[in-house]
Amino acid sequence: MENEIDYSQYKTVSAIPEASSMIETFRAIGYNIETAVADIIDNSISANAKNIWVNFEWLGSKTWLSIKDDGIGMNDTELIQAMRPGSKSPLQERSSKDLGRFGLGLKTASFSQARKLTVISKKAEHNSVYWTWDLDFVNKTGNWDLIKYVPDEKPKNEISKLTSGTIVLWNDIDRVVKDFNQDDNKALDKFLFTMEQVKKHLAMVFHKFIEKGKVNIYFQDKKIVGWNPFLTDEAATQIFPEEKIQNGTVTIEGFVLPHKSKISEDKYKYAEGVKGWNEQQGFYIYRNERLLLAGDWLGLFRKEEHYKLTRIQIELPNSLDSEWQIDIKKSVARPPLVFREQIKAYALKVRQQAVEVYRHKGKSVKPIAGQKFVPLWIDHKRGDKWFYKINRENPILGKIKEQVKNEPDKAIEMLLRFIEETIPTKSIYIKESEDPELQGKPFEATDHEVIRNTMQAMYSGLLNQGKTEEQAKAIISNIEPFNNFVHFLEFLN
Ligand SMILES: Nc1ncnc2c1ncn2[C@@H]1O[C@H](COP(=O)(O)OP(=O)(O)OP(=O)(O)O)[C@@H](O)[C@H]1O
Ligand SMILES: [Mg+2]
């Protein structure tokens, strides 16, 4: 470098990161056990594993968890390098299938949950090798020293059964089972519930690998079935044409999931995923087929009930990691500013369709030869405000008008009943939550002749009944919607 300063004449002193505080920093990156296990599995997939086994044994606070794979494995030098925090530079170019980026995941994910991390690995035609990080030992000695130790001999036998592969073993999993007693059934229930969450998370994050048969993930020796957020096997799912952005490297594809009435109850339950229907709406960002974000509007929209059928897939290659601000946990991604508008425009189309499906219960109101659907309510704009009006063309009104001639009371009651029962609450709710300012108030932005005439007629009636002018006006001003129009009172005569 041309401008490099020659420091040789200066005094230097080493300021090695202090072990105990570095450890706490690593532990505070914000993993939970779901994301931590997923991060370890990323490594297995990058190492070309075809099978991955997640196993654990309930032993109260001594519970252990292991992630075993039949990938390419590591030799001793490679393992020591892999155990180093920051084993690869984030700037280093990676193979297009590599799920890693920072050279940290193995350590940060493991340390976030456990105080002991042991890795046992075997390359084809090699003997197995192993090393352990013990955070308490590092803390005590202040040195970043690996220990040639395995807390349990069993995994060593297991690895020798594989041609090649790696076992990541967590002990002292204090973030999950600290102080848990093995005989405590409540603690066991809690633990098993957590493990169930882990399983669901893996089924979601790696569903593309599982579905395509690229990887099998076994959870306590049972094969995990992938969870597909888009219900692509359902006929009623609407798939939008995909769009490419960022020179064709990024693909967006929208899905409007079927209305509840269009799928089986089981399917509906299945599709609600880990977080539930409302929370699962939004973008699903994949990086090399690995799901980073599941149901997030990226700050572009809010999550709302009526958009819950919208799920939009975005697929990224790992070459865009820095532009999309991928984080260590692989759970954050942010579109570059220049593409936000394009992504938003695409999402708007999908969301609009999702509202249609949500509102019409998936009913396709397809006109039968020459027949037109006749609504009772019509939402329309007056000025810039929304109003809801009864469709005067609706045949029900014709029927009621006929009846008025003979049974006026019954006719009016029938009219009121129809209004009461069919108030378009969903439309009103949707418009209200989109922008409350845009809902019209009674008789806003229209002429007030109806109001004035009705007020006048009532006023005259009250005077005829013997009320004073004062009394009549007081009565009228307490009747909805006249209460909004008290300024007309002075014109009454
Ligand atoms: N199961 C495994 N099989 C083979 N090699 C592995 C395995 N796990 C980790 N490694 C090696 O260890 C290195 C460090 O892994 P680590 O997860 O810490 O970082 P990374 O995957 O490179 O990046 P990231 O921080 O984004 O996860 C990997 O790059 C890989 O070379
Ligand atoms: Mg990794």
Side-chain angles (χ1 to χ4, degrees):
M1 233 188 278
E2 254 175 67
N3 300 324
E4 205 170 320
I5 308 165
D6 176 14
Y7 287 127
S8 60
Q9 52 173 318
Y10 299 95
K11 183 179 153 189
T12 59
V13 62
S14 66
I16 298 165
E18 213 244 310
S20 61
S21 52
M22 270 323 278
I23 287 172
E24 291 317 313
T25 305
F26 283 145
R27 302 206 87 188
I29 289 180
Y31 286 92
N32 53 35
I33 185 153
E34 292 98 303
T35 52
V37 173
D39 213 333
I40 302 298
I41 292 183
D42 279 356
N43 291 340
S44 301
I45 294 176
S46 299
N48 285 328
K50 180 90 179 95
N51 297 290
I52 299 162
W53 298 265
V54 179
N55 286 311
F56 49 84
E57 186 183 359
W58 168 251
L59 295 168
S61 58
K62 296 203 169 61
T63 297
W64 56 259
L65 184 143
S66 72
I67 296 125
K68 177 174 81 175
D69 69 58
D70 59 359
I72 54 170
M74 290 170 274
N75 63 28
D76 201 45
T77 323
E78 288 166 336
L79 177 55
I80 294 169
Q81 182 60 19
M83 293 296 263
R84 282 168 66 138
S87 54
K88 267 185 201 165
S89 162
L91 302 177
Q92 194 176 327
E93 201 175 312
R94 300 249 182 177
S95 114
S96 65
K97 286 200 285 184
D98 198 335
L99 297 178
R101 168 54 59 197
F102 298 97
L104 278 172
L106 171 64
K107 287 73 62 174
T108 48
S110 303
F111 294 166
S112 76
Q113 305 301 312
R115 302 195 71 82
K116 282 198 193 76
L117 158 66
T118 304
V119 180
I120 305 158
S121 197
K122 181 178 181 301
K123 259 187 129 88
E125 325 273 308
H126 282 65
N127 288 329
S128 63
V129 293
Y130 59 91
W131 285 104
T132 288
W133 276 123
D134 181 331
L135 294 185
D136 297 317
F137 183 69
V138 175
N139 243 333
K140 205 168 78 192
T141 60
N143 295 327
W144 288 97
D145 290 336
L146 290 163
I147 315 166
K148 187 110 192 125
Y149 162 82
V150 276
D152 185 349
E153 289 295 316
K154 262 183 279 164
K156 278 208 268 179
N157 302 331
E158 269 187 57
I159 199 103
S160 57
K161 291 182 209 149
L162 296 171
T163 317
S164 67
T166 301
I167 302 177
V168 172
L169 179 63
W170 293 350
N171 274 284
D172 267 337
I173 311 174
D174 63 347
R175 285 288 151 83
V176 182
V177 294
K178 193 180 163 91
D179 299 331
F180 276 14
N181 193 323
Q182 192 178 350
D183 306 323
D184 181 350
N185 279 332
K186 269 212 182 111
L188 172 61
D189 283 351
K190 212 167 144 192
F191 173 72
L192 291 178
F193 178 78
T194 307
M195 289 300 117
E196 195 55 33
Q197 297 300 109
V198 173
K199 185 170 137 191
K200 283 185 183 163
H201 186 74
L202 300 180
M204 176 174 84
V205 166
F206 298 106
H207 79 92
K208 293 212 174 197
F209 294 93
I210 299 171
E211 281 163 10
K212 292 179 182 168
K214 290 183 180 175
V215 179
N216 302 311
I217 304 178
Y218 299 88
F219 201 77
Q220 293 289 62
D221 295 322
K222 263 181 72 186
K223 212 170 175 172
I224 293 183
V225 181
W227 182 81
N228 185 313
F230 309 116
L231 296 189
T232 38
D233 53 346
E234 288 290 332
T237 299
Q238 300 185 27
I239 307 176
F240 274 65
E242 60 172 44
E243 218 169 275
K244 300 253 184 209
I245 58 169
Q246 244 171 330
N247 298 324
T249 49
V250 176
T251 313
I252 314 184
E253 192 176 10
F255 298 86
V256 175
L257 273 59
H259 188 271
K260 191 176 179 182
S261 61
K262 291 276 166 178
I263 46 174
S264 71
E265 217 167 286
D266 283 351
K267 216 35 186 292
Y268 187 78
K269 194 97 190 76
Y270 165 90
E272 88 180 349
V274 209
K275 299 189 286 184
W277 268 99
N278 197 46
E279 281 303 307
Q280 295 282 174
Q281 66 178 284
F283 294 107
Y284 284 70
I285 303 187
Y286 292 82
R287 168 179 175 269
N288 293 358
E289 307 199 304
R290 193 269 206 216
L291 187 56
L292 303 178
L293 238 77
D296 191 315
W297 282 122
L298 299 169
L300 294 173
F301 311 100
R302 273 184 297 157
K303 283 188 178 167
E304 274 154 327
E305 167 73 13
H306 48 283
Y307 289 120
K308 70 179 182 188
L309 302 177
T310 329
R311 294 182 185 176
I312 302 175
Q313 165 174 277
I314 299 183
E315 286 186 291
L316 312 173
N318 64 356
S319 53
L320 297 178
D321 284 353
S322 72
E323 283 173 72
W324 280 70
Q325 301 180 42
I326 306 301
D327 73 329
I328 299 175
K329 300 192 298 284
K330 313 295 182 311
S331 57
V332 174
R334 285 192 198 92
L337 220 57
V338 280
F339 298 110
R340 279 177 82 86
E341 282 312 310
Q342 207 177 337
I343 293 170
K344 189 170 179 181
Y346 185 92
L348 276 169
K349 286 185 288 185
V350 186
R351 282 163 57 94
Q352 199 176 3
Q353 183 59 21
V355 171
E356 285 304 310
V357 174
Y358 174 80
R359 278 211 282 188
H360 293 120
K361 310 208 164 105
K363 249 182 270 150
S364 46
V365 268
K366 280 195 201 102
I368 338 163
Q371 241 10 86
K372 233 175 93 201
F373 175 74
V374 192
L376 183 56
W377 289 89
I378 301 173
D379 23 348
H380 71 119
K381 269 196 162 174
R382 215 155 63 202
D384 61 346
K385 300 288 174 75
W386 282 104
F387 289 87
Y388 305 88
K389 90 181 185 192
I390 304 268
N391 177 17
R392 306 296 196 273
E393 311 278 294
N394 191 300
I396 290 173
L397 294 186
K399 270 268 157 286
I400 292 174
K401 271 187 200 155
E402 269 173 35
Q403 207 175 2
V404 165
K405 291 174 206 145
N406 306 319
E407 304 171 295
D409 284 353
K410 254 193 176 167
I412 289 171
E413 178 58 24
M414 185 171 153
L415 175 64
L416 294 178
R417 283 282 293 154
F418 267 105
I419 295 175
E420 285 167 354
E421 293 297 329
T422 59
I423 291 174
T425 47
K426 255 188 187 164
S427 288
I428 295 171
Y429 167 72
I430 290 169
K431 294 209 168 68
E432 178 72 13
S433 58
E434 273 168 358
D435 192 350
E437 295 294 301
L438 286 184
Q439 298 266 15
K441 296 203 178 60
F443 294 94
E444 190 179 338
T446 182
D447 74 72
H448 295 146
E449 213 180 298
V450 194
I451 287 279
R452 282 216 300 264
N453 290 346
T454 323
M455 266 174 139
Q456 180 60 56
M458 231 180 223
Y459 183 69
S460 309
L462 288 165
L463 294 185
N464 284 342
Q465 284 170 29
K467 301 278 190 246
T468 66
E469 289 183 7
E470 286 303 296
Q471 285 169 332
K473 284 181 182 174
I475 291 170
I476 290 172
S477 64
N478 274 316
I479 295 172
E480 192 182 0
F482 300 141
N483 57 327
N484 294 313
F485 299 91
V486 284
H487 51 283
F488 288 153
L489 290 177
E490 57 183 298
F491 300 107
L492 297 175
N493 49 56

